[in-house]
Every structure is written in C-alpha cells, then in structure tokens.
Amino acid sequence: MSSELSATLPRLQMLSTSDHASIVSMNLFVALLCACIVIGHLLEENRWMNESITALVIGLCTGVVILLISGGKSSHLLVFSEDLFFIYLLPPIIFNAGFQVKKKQFFVNFITIVMFGAIGTLISCAIITFGVTQIFKRMDIGSLELGDYLAIGAIFAATDSVCTLQVLNQDETPLLYSLVFGEGVVNDATSVVLFNAIQSFDLTHIDHMIPLHFFGNFLYLFLTSTLLGVLTGLISAYIIKKLYIGRHSTDREVALMMLMAYLSYMLAELCYLSGILTVFFCGIVMSHYTWHNVTESSRITTKHAFATLSFVAEIFIFLYVGMDALDIEKWRFVSDSPGTSVAVSSVLLALVLVGRAAFVFPLSFLSNLTKKSPDLKISIRQQVIIWWAGLMRGAVSIALAYNQFTMSGHTQLRANAIMITSTITVVLVSTMVFGLMTKPLIRLLLPHQKPTTSMLLLSDPSTPKSVTVPLLGAVQYSEADLDGHDIPRRSSLRALLSTPTHTVHRYWRKFDDAFMRPVFGGRGFVPVAPGSPTELVQQWQ
C-alpha cells in the first residue's frame, strides 16, 4: 500500500505542476489580449496601424521575451492547433461578417465576388504551383513531391479575410469592402476545398478527368454548403417566430441564435462541406429573418455579442501568430542555410504578387463589361487597391501549412521546416507591409472620396443597425423609387438579360414579401404573441 502511494504522489505532483503551468500561460495570454485591446484603442486614429498589426507586433515582442526567459527553448505560451483555429476561432469571425455585411453591396457584386473568389483563386493557385515547381527544383531545399507543390499553391492562394476587416472600412469604401471581403470569404472556402481535394486525389495516376472531377466537386461543395447555411438560418427564424421565446427569456433567444449558428458550421464539417461558406450564409439569413423575430433587448445583445466574439478571436489569432513566428524548433532546421530560407520566402512572396495581379485586373475588366453605369464599374485605382489589400496572408495559410508539412505542429524534415518558416515569413511580411500600407494607399488613390448617388443607395447600414434592408439588390432598382413614372414592362427574359440585378431584385422582393417573410418572419412580421411588440402595437391601434 505504501509503495502504491509513493508511486502515485510523483504523478500527482507532475499533474499539479502541468496544470499550474497551463493556468500561468492562460493568465499571461488573457493579459496580452487585454493589452492588445487597450493599445489598439490608443492607436485608433493612427493612419498606419490597425488592431491586427498591433496584436502581431505584441505577439512578436512577447515571443522574444519568452524566448529569452526560457533560454531559447520556446517562444509561445500555447501550442498551435489546427482544431483550435478551424473549430473555435474562425466560425465566430466568418459568422459575424455575414451577420453584419451590407447585403446590397454583396449581392449586387455577387458575380464579381464569385469570379474573384473562385476563378481567381484557381488562377492564383495555378501560377504559384507552376512557379514553385520550376524554381524550387533548382534550389537545395530538400525533397518535395507533386502533392506538396500543389498544396503550396492552395496555401498561398488563401487571402486573409480577417485582416481585410481591419484595414478596409465598410462605410468609407463600401464597394471595395464588399469586393475584397466577399472575395476573401469565397477565397478561403475555395482554398480549403482545393487543399482537401489535393490531399484526397491519387496524384500518382493523373488523367484528363481530374480537372473535371475537381470542378464538379467544388460546385457540389459550394452549393450544398450554401444551402445548409440558408436552411439552418431559416430553421432558427421559424422556431423563434413560432415559439416567440423572448416573451419568457431573452437569454434563450440569444443562446439559440448562437448555438444554431455554430451548429451550422459543425454540421458542414461533419458532412465534409465548407463550414466557412455555411456559417457565412447562415449569418446573412439570420440577419434578414431571425434577428427581426427576437425582442429589442435580444437584438442589441446579439449584435454586440457576435461582434465581440469575432473581435476577440481576431486578436487571439494575430497574437498567437506573432509568438509562433519565433518558434526556435522550426528555425533550428534552417539555421545552417538562412540564405535558402530567405530565397524561398522571396520567391513565394513574388509569386503571390504575380498570381493576384494575374486575375484581379483581367477579371475586373470582364466585370466592367457587364455594368452599364460608370459608378458601378471598378476603376483602375480601385483595382490597384483590391490587388494590394488581398495580398495579405494569415492564419488560414499557416493552418494549411501546418496540416501539410508537420505532425502535431512539429517536423523533423528540412524541406518541411523550410516551408513552415517560409510560410510564417510571408504571413509576417505581407501583414506588416501590405497591411500597414493599405490605409495610406487608399488615401493616396482615393483622396477625399465623395460618395456618388449609387454608392449612397447601395451602401445600406449594417443589417443589425437597420430594419429596412432587403436581402437582394439595390434600392435604386426598386419600383417604389421611380418617382411615380411608369416604365413599360418587358418580357421576363429580355429584362433579365438587359437589367439582371433589377429583374432578380424585383422577383425576389415579390417572393420574399409573399411567402418567405410571412413564414419565417423578418422586418414587418414580428410574431403575434402575448407581450410581443406586435400585440402591443395592435392594442394601441
């Protein structure tokens, strides 16, 4: 008995020591998050800095301090985990983006956004893959297979939609924000789907059917992921409208909205779909239907709760990326040839620049051909900003690189270590340089930009701040804004070809008013229940 106790005590002491170390690490990390928020507030008016870069710099400084204290053994408080990023940190960021997005701008430019996010990502991936295949084979970086080269293309084709939220302002530049951010969401989803497809395909037997198979797979994932997000959002709206939970507890309303949103993401991951697309469109549908069915206090609570969760997750990501950039274990493998690591990082950065330019300018030209109004066309200066703002690479690239080149965050192969350190270098340089220069570039190319009539009509307030936002189309196309002038009705097909946005918007409004909102709620269809706002209004009438 005594021997068993003597053997158990050291284990308990080790466990206690491990728990204490975890508690110390979490305390320090939370303190750093608080510091990021305070310093970010103090730098709010700075034309160069934003909270993403602030968190990145604080993470780098913290990593240096930890590296010195630990004697060069470690530079971070927490171990990077892909599950932590994809399951816990990314969903609130993407959902809040869909929940707050200006839907008029997003859907009016939907075709352009999909072109940039899907076709553009494939073009960028192809250029990066071709470039690294030709250049890396001539460099002494170790053995990389075809699957690794294709994975590199997918990794560095993924833009950083999180940092885009920080450097672009939805109110000052609504067109640029909707294009760059909307592209970022579709781009992230496309990159993840492409990366998973590369890992699942048998690249030892390549035939002409692989591109066709991939295109069909991507189309299936895009449509099913979108439909799952829409369906989850509609179910939440229907439940809250019918039960009107808020008459008993606003806490239940808020909890149900949060859990349904997260459930949409996890269902997509369970079904091997794109959780990014699912939770994004779930946010759009919830903001159009579900948010209008809850009580006024729940509206205020959900608006700030979703924004707060997204804000903390963004800072968490950049803070950790800054600390992980100094992980000594990864740099030890490339310390004998730092020139090679710098060369690899430079090649990747150059290919990112070329790959993005290869689709932004040609696809913008094609997009402008379909728009008749000069105000809706993308000017060359706006194209330069779209190209520049989308050059930032972030946590998605790092997570995919860890997935491809490490096992549980560690690697023992020189080539894999070089790719990890090069990915971190590209993320740091692109975020610091391109992120710092984006605001000044906007001020330089678009000085004192005065909103045009179309911009004012298209740039509606964020959905949770407004109760007058239709889901699709622009206000200037609605029949109520034609000043009473009768416009001769053309055939549906002719109208669809000549003014597609106008026509789709008109038919959507009819369908939404006649069927969707009476069933699922939304603006003007608050549930009639004891103590509900509708009942109180009816009592006064």
Side-chain angles (χ1 to χ4, degrees):
M1 184 69 179
S2 59
S3 60
E4 292 179 0
L5 285 174
S6 59
T8 305
L9 284 174
R11 296 176 187 173
L12 291 175
Q13 290 174 352
M14 290 175 60
L15 183 63
S16 177
T17 304
S18 176
D19 290 344
H20 180 72
S22 299
I23 293 172
V24 171
S25 298
M26 287 306 301
N27 271 279
L28 290 174
F29 207 93
V30 172
L32 288 172
L33 288 173
C34 295
C36 290
I37 294 172
V38 172
I39 296 174
H41 169 73
L42 296 175
L43 298 175
E44 181 70 26
E45 302 300 325
N46 190 285
R47 62 178 296 181
W48 300 92
M49 297 294 288
N50 59 66
E51 279 161 339
S52 298
I53 298 174
T54 302
L56 199 61
V57 172
I58 292 176
L60 283 169
C61 296
T62 306
V64 172
V65 173
I66 297 174
L67 201 61
L68 294 174
I69 294 175
S70 64
K73 294 180 180 179
S74 177
S75 66
H76 45 70
L77 300 170
L78 302 174
V79 178
F80 183 84
S81 169
E82 298 161 43
D83 292 339
L84 173 67
F85 172 70
F86 280 109
I87 297 180
Y88 300 109
L89 297 178
L90 193 59
I93 296 173
I94 302 300
F95 174 79
N96 183 65
F99 194 72
Q100 303 276 3
V101 74
K102 293 180 184 291
K103 292 188 288 290
K104 291 174 190 166
Q105 276 284 358
F106 182 81
F107 283 105
V108 164
N109 298 293
F110 186 72
I111 301 300
T112 306
I113 288 171
V114 173
M115 285 172 59
F116 282 176
I119 300 175
T121 302
L122 294 176
I123 294 174
S124 179
C125 177
I127 290 175
I128 294 172
T129 300
F130 178 77
V132 297
T133 303
Q134 298 300 314
I135 298 173
F136 284 3
K137 287 182 178 179
R138 303 175 184 177
M139 301 172 64
D140 181 25
I141 63 172
S143 60
L144 292 175
E145 300 177 353
L146 177 60
D148 294 324
Y149 291 121
L150 291 172
I152 291 171
I155 289 167
F156 289 97
T159 62
D160 185 14
S161 57
V162 176
C163 201
T164 301
L165 294 171
Q166 299 286 340
V167 299
L168 291 178
N169 189 290
Q170 190 167 201
D171 297 317
E172 293 178 2
T173 54
L175 176 61
L176 291 177
Y177 183 94
S178 66
L179 288 177
V180 177
F181 171 69
E183 175 218 338
V185 173
V186 180
N187 168 280
D188 286 346
T190 305
S191 300
V192 173
V193 170
L194 180 60
F195 182 83
N196 292 335
I198 290 169
Q199 289 191 323
S200 62
F201 284 156
D202 182 9
L203 298 175
T204 58
H205 301 86
I206 300 177
D207 55 34
H208 63 282
M209 293 299 294
I210 281 187
L212 189 62
H213 183 229
F214 170 76
F215 179 76
N217 187 38
F218 171 75
L219 198 61
Y220 163 77
L221 288 173
F222 187 91
L223 293 176
T224 50
S225 300
T226 301
L227 288 175
L228 179 59
V230 171
L231 181 62
T232 309
L234 290 177
I235 291 174
S236 71
Y238 185 81
I239 291 174
I240 291 179
K241 177 177 181 293
K242 286 298 181 182
L243 299 181
Y244 197 66
I245 300 172
R247 70 173 181 264
H248 295 306
S249 171
T250 57
D251 296 339
R252 290 176 185 151
E253 281 185 325
V254 175
L256 186 62
M257 285 186 68
M258 288 184 172
L259 291 174
M260 289 292 287
Y262 190 66
L263 180 64
S264 70
Y265 185 88
M266 297 310 298
L267 281 175
E269 294 298 315
L270 181 66
C271 300
Y272 300 100
L273 302 176
S274 172
I276 296 174
L277 279 176
T278 297
V279 78
F280 178 73
F281 281 97
C282 180
I284 290 179
V285 173
M286 277 193 172
S287 70
H288 187 63
Y289 296 111
T290 313
W291 189 76
H292 295 278
N293 295 341
V294 300
T295 60
E296 185 64 28
S297 59
S298 294
R299 294 182 192 180
I300 297 172
T301 303
T302 52
K303 179 184 71 174
H304 292 293
F306 293 143
T308 301
L309 288 173
S310 173
F311 175 72
V312 173
E314 290 171 16
I315 294 180
F316 189 102
I317 289 172
F318 283 99
L319 184 62
Y320 183 82
V321 167
M323 286 190 288
D324 192 62
L326 298 174
D327 188 359
I328 196 67
E329 180 184 339
K330 304 180 186 67
W331 292 100
R332 188 180 293 119
F333 285 93
V334 298
S335 59
D336 59 334
S337 54
T340 302
S341 181
V342 172
V344 170
S345 302
S346 302
V347 168
L348 289 171
L349 202 56
L351 289 173
V352 167
L353 291 165
V354 174
R356 184 159 182 82
F359 76 82
V360 167
F361 298 105
L363 293 183
S364 296
F365 175 77
L366 294 177
S367 175
N368 288 339
L369 293 178
T370 64
K371 298 176 180 178
K372 296 182 179 180
S373 173
D375 292 336
L376 297 178
K377 292 185 177 181
I378 310 171
S379 67
I380 187 64
R381 292 188 175 190
Q382 290 174 325
Q383 292 176 34
V384 171
I385 295 174
I386 292 171
W387 167 71
W388 185 270
L391 291 172
M392 288 172 283
R393 298 297 180 263
V396 173
S397 295
I398 289 181
L400 295 180
Y402 271 66
N403 185 291
Q404 178 69 22
F405 297 109
T406 71
M407 291 294 293
S408 302
H410 302 285
T411 179
Q412 300 296 328
L413 298 177
R414 182 172 179 273
N416 290 356
I418 288 178
M419 291 314 306
I420 292 294
T421 54
S422 299
T423 303
I424 293 173
T425 303
V426 170
V427 168
L428 288 176
V429 172
S430 62
T431 303
M432 298 290 287
V433 176
F434 303 139
L436 282 173
M437 293 297 296
T438 300
K439 286 184 179 180
L441 185 67
I442 293 175
R443 291 188 176 95
L444 176 66
L445 297 180
L446 303 174
H448 307 294
Q449 184 181 20
K450 294 182 179 180
T452 61
T453 303
S454 63
M455 285 176 61
L456 289 173
L457 291 169
L458 284 170
S459 58
D460 60 296
S462 292
T463 301
K465 300 178 183 177
S466 172
V467 292
T468 59
V469 183
L471 180 62
L472 187 62
V475 175
Q476 74 265 32
Y477 294 131
S478 66
E479 297 166 14
D481 296 324
L482 296 177
D483 298 328
H485 298 291
D486 293 329
I487 292 181
R489 292 292 180 86
R490 293 168 291 183
S491 66
S492 299
L493 181 59
R494 184 181 175 186
L496 184 62
L497 294 175
S498 59
T499 56
T501 306
H502 173 202
T503 307
V504 170
H505 170 63
R506 179 158 55 87
Y507 282 112
W508 163 254
R509 295 255 337 239
K510 287 183 177 180
F511 177 73
D512 193 33
D513 292 338
F515 176 73
M516 296 297 290
R517 287 196 286 182
V519 174
F520 297 103
R523 177 171 50 88
F525 288 88
V526 181
V528 180
S532 71
T534 301
E535 184 193 49
L536 296 176
V537 170
Q538 291 177 349
Q539 289 176 355
W540 280 100
Q541 291 177 343

